Amino acid sequence: MRKVVIVGATGSIGRQAAEVVQASDELEAVGLVAGRSWKELLALAETLEVERIALADPGAAALAAEHFRGRVHAGSEGAIELICDAGCDVVLNAAVGAAGLTATIAALGEGIDLALANKESLVVAGELVTALAEATGARIVPVDSEHSALFQLLRGEAPGTVERLVLTASGGPFRGRSREEIAHATVEEALAHPTWRMGGKITVDSATLMNKGLEVIEAHHLFAIDYDRIEVLVHPQSIVHGLVELNDGALLAHLGLPDMRVPISYALHFPDRQDVAVPRLDLAVVGRLTFERPDTDTFPCLRLAREAGRAGGTAPCVLNAANEVAVAAFLDRRLPFGAIAAVVEGALERCEVRAVRHFDDVLAADSEARRVAEELVAGVRA
């Protein structure tokens, strides 16, 4: 029986992870972590019969403690305490944004395997995170559908045989439209993703293609491969989740209907593979699979992410922090959709790229980038 802690338990990935745990005879949830949604967390804890929960918001933790018979960890250190004390075998980190780095460090620092859905951990501190995993012997198994696909395809391939990795992108709700047409897109339009049902922030990132840019940086660190050998293709059917080109010209593909329970189950059961009750892919019904190059003129966030990744140091951290600020402002209707990329680019231009030698360097860069991004948002009329 593998004991699991779910971080970001009340979000989309967290709730689906709970479904996977509940359906498996091999998994047991021993801890749940959320930000401030205490009522939802208590309901989930009751369903999974969990005796430990953590809430980052102290007020929410206090309210939860009044209604929960088990232990409630509170505040910014709550997740760390729970991860270290729960006796778990794997932590599924589904927190949103750079805030998820704390849970990643806590799990890997304790030598606990990490099922990683929080791509920002690798974006903002990839070299430090992978070095920590190597030092403690903890395994990082990706949960993102694209990275899970590549992870599975690469198993058993000998070093030196991989020529190229291909990440697929749905293209989001604005695929095929011009930069001018989407400059003042509404929040509702941006959240109308054609394939996946996700949280607000990641859905907007999909609409700008920033999500795919972050995934390029994540793939660079996960698979130790140069940026020039990581490609993005727009694939609106979202059936092919990743491709690997080998040195003999073979192209391996991972296919499946879009359902996050599949990569979640794979990561939690790894290295085993268990049954998952999801609809099966019928290619005759799908009929056709199409691919196209991404339009980086209309969606410059993908280009900015690649540039930040190549620059290295604190640049990816600045990219991510500025994007989080810009997306939050857009969702609050304080920033036009078309200005998200401009805020990110402005922050990258104004924040000096520095070397990253310690996690404190990441925190400092994150703080500076958020301050600069807020100034840039304030200078734009929504």
Side-chain angles (χ1 to χ4, degrees):
M1 183 73 71
R2 299 199 81 195
K3 297 181 178 180
V4 181
V5 166
I6 303 174
V7 179
T10 58
S12 174
I13 298 297
R15 292 194 302 270
Q16 291 178 82
E19 291 180 27
V20 170
V21 171
Q22 192 173 19
S24 175
D25 294 331
E26 306 297 325
L27 303 174
E28 176 190 3
V30 294
L32 302 173
V33 180
R36 60 176 63 90
S37 302
W38 66 272
K39 290 183 179 179
E40 292 87 343
L41 192 65
L42 289 187
L44 198 59
E46 182 177 355
T47 298
L48 296 176
E49 299 180 346
V50 168
E51 298 180 356
R52 288 175 179 266
I53 62 173
L55 286 144
D57 183 276
L63 290 170
E66 296 176 4
H67 300 82
F68 189 59
R69 295 180 180 179
R71 182 171 179 183
V72 179
H73 299 262
S76 59
E77 300 297 317
I80 297 175
E81 294 173 354
L82 189 151
I83 289 169
C84 294
D85 296 345
C88 62
D89 301 300
V90 59
V91 171
L92 187 143
N93 187 356
V96 177
L101 179 60
T102 299
T104 290
I105 296 171
L108 297 179
E110 292 293 310
I112 300 169
D113 288 347
L114 180 67
L116 186 61
N118 175 256
K119 62 176 65 67
E120 291 85 356
S121 291
L122 287 173
V123 170
V124 304
E127 292 181 1
L128 297 180
V129 167
T130 53
L132 180 60
E134 185 175 353
T136 63
R139 297 178 297 191
I140 301 176
V141 182
V143 172
D144 275 344
S145 60
E146 297 82 2
H147 298 86
S148 177
L150 294 175
F151 184 87
Q152 294 176 56
L153 291 170
L154 290 169
R155 288 194 71 193
E157 291 299 332
T161 62
V162 176
E163 292 287 333
R164 182 171 57 109
L165 304 181
V166 180
L167 294 163
T168 56
S170 69
F174 302 134
R175 171 180 158 266
R177 296 170 65 177
S178 70
R179 193 167 184 170
E180 292 72 25
E181 288 175 323
I182 65 175
H184 294 282
T186 66
V187 170
E188 290 74 20
E189 290 172 330
L191 294 179
H193 196 281
T195 306
W196 299 95
R197 295 296 172 262
M198 306 172 289
K201 194 268 181 182
I202 191 173
T203 305
V204 175
D205 281 351
S206 180
T208 65
L209 288 195
M210 177 60 87
N211 190 53
K212 207 52 52 178
L214 299 178
E215 289 180 1
V216 168
I217 299 173
E218 182 183 9
H220 166 75
H221 291 293
L222 272 174
F223 307 117
I225 190 167
D226 293 339
Y227 285 104
D228 291 341
R229 296 163 59 199
I230 304 173
E231 185 178 344
V232 172
L233 284 178
V234 174
H235 169 53
Q237 294 83 18
S238 297
I239 297 297
V240 177
H241 302 298
L243 302 107
V244 173
E245 181 181 318
L246 302 178
N247 60 331
D248 60 0
L251 193 64
L252 310 182
H254 181 288
L255 289 77
L257 292 173
D259 194 314
M260 285 304 300
R261 289 173 295 176
V262 175
I264 290 170
S265 176
Y266 184 81
L268 292 180
H269 290 100
F270 182 80
D272 299 323
R273 192 186 294 270
Q274 299 293 326
D275 294 345
V276 183
V278 297
R280 272 21 184 189
L281 173 63
D282 187 334
L283 287 174
V285 172
V286 174
R288 60 197 296 262
L289 303 175
T290 62
F291 303 88
E292 60 196 57
R293 306 287 181 193
D295 179 0
T296 53
D297 290 330
T298 300
F299 304 99
C301 284
L302 177 56
R303 170 183 57 81
L304 293 172
R306 278 192 176 277
E307 292 173 355
R310 288 193 177 98
T314 54
C317 180
V318 171
L319 171 97
N320 180 75
N323 180 64
E324 288 188 14
V325 169
V327 170
F330 168 70
L331 290 171
D332 289 342
R333 305 177 195 274
R334 295 185 291 115
L335 187 74
F337 181 83
I340 293 174
V343 169
V344 174
E345 188 165 21
L348 286 167
E349 291 173 352
R350 289 175 54 177
C351 296
E352 180 184 352
V353 177
R354 300 181 177 88
V356 175
R357 298 184 177 87
H358 191 274
F359 287 110
D360 287 343
D361 299 327
V362 174
L363 297 176
D366 181 88
S367 179
E368 179 190 12
R370 289 178 190 277
R371 175 184 59 77
V372 170
E374 289 288 4
E375 292 175 357
L376 291 168
V377 167
V380 178
R381 180 173 297 177

